[in-house]
Amino acid sequence: TEMGVSRSDAALLASLYGIAGVVGKLMTGWFMERIDGGLIGALTNAATAIALIFFLDPFRTEMAIVAALIIVGYANGTKLQICVYLTGSLAGLRNYGKIFGMISSAIALASGIGVFFGGVIYDSFGSYQPMVIAFIPVSLLAAALIFRVNKRR
């Protein structure tokens, strides 16, 4: 693989990522009942930005890759739960289906487009590093925006 990890180790790391995602889903539900949803969203997006730094060349070590994958997996596991909670609590139930349908459509579209652009970036630069670098400020911006969500009520 690009990061110098063997295929069998990459499979193990993918498993850790998936397990962390499940833990993120479960823990987010518990946290959402006790802590401000905007804060949880901000923390998970900020954690993603910090973890992405450890995928970059000067910081990348075996332990950093493992830690970063677990953090990003956990954070990605929280995203849909945060979206569901904030949509319901801020928009109410009257138009929940319509609003969440639009959000789900946007997520699906972005997922497809992201894979395409990831391939274009890899083909153009021979590495995913430019994409990782771009995701760091985007994750921080998302953290700042979602932090303010519940403050508007």
Side-chain angles (χ1 to χ4, degrees):
T1 64
E2 178 186 339
M3 293 192 178
V5 178
S6 71
R7 290 190 186 273
S8 60
D9 287 346
L12 174 64
L13 292 173
S15 298
L16 290 174
Y17 176 91
I19 291 166
V22 170
V23 171
K25 288 179 190 308
L26 297 174
M27 294 298 297
T28 299
W30 187 82
F31 282 134
M32 289 296 228
E33 294 175 354
R34 292 159 178 79
I35 303 171
D36 175 58
L39 177 62
I40 294 169
L43 291 174
T44 57
N45 278 293
T48 299
I50 293 166
L52 290 174
I53 292 170
F54 295 112
F55 289 128
L56 299 176
D57 285 329
F59 307 104
R60 190 171 55 215
T61 65
E62 288 180 14
M63 288 307 296
I65 291 171
V66 171
L69 276 173
I70 291 171
I71 293 168
V72 172
Y74 179 90
N76 282 340
T78 68
K79 301 294 194 260
L80 189 59
Q81 281 63 33
I82 292 168
C83 232
V84 167
Y85 174 79
L86 290 177
T87 301
S89 66
L90 297 175
L93 297 178
R94 183 165 189 228
N95 294 311
Y96 180 84
K98 187 184 306 180
I99 294 168
F100 194 72
M102 295 298 294
I103 291 170
S104 297
S105 297
I107 290 170
L109 181 64
S111 296
I113 291 171
V115 170
F116 172 76
F117 282 116
V120 169
I121 288 170
Y122 188 84
D123 289 344
S124 299
F125 297 97
S127 170
Y128 292 109
Q129 294 274 323
M131 188 168 64
V132 172
I133 291 168
F135 284 166
I136 293 169
V138 169
S139 292
L140 291 172
L141 176 62
L145 292 173
I146 201 166
F147 180 70
R148 306 240 337 120
V149 167
N150 271 0
K151 305 297 183 239
R152 296 177 61 200
R153 288 202 296 170

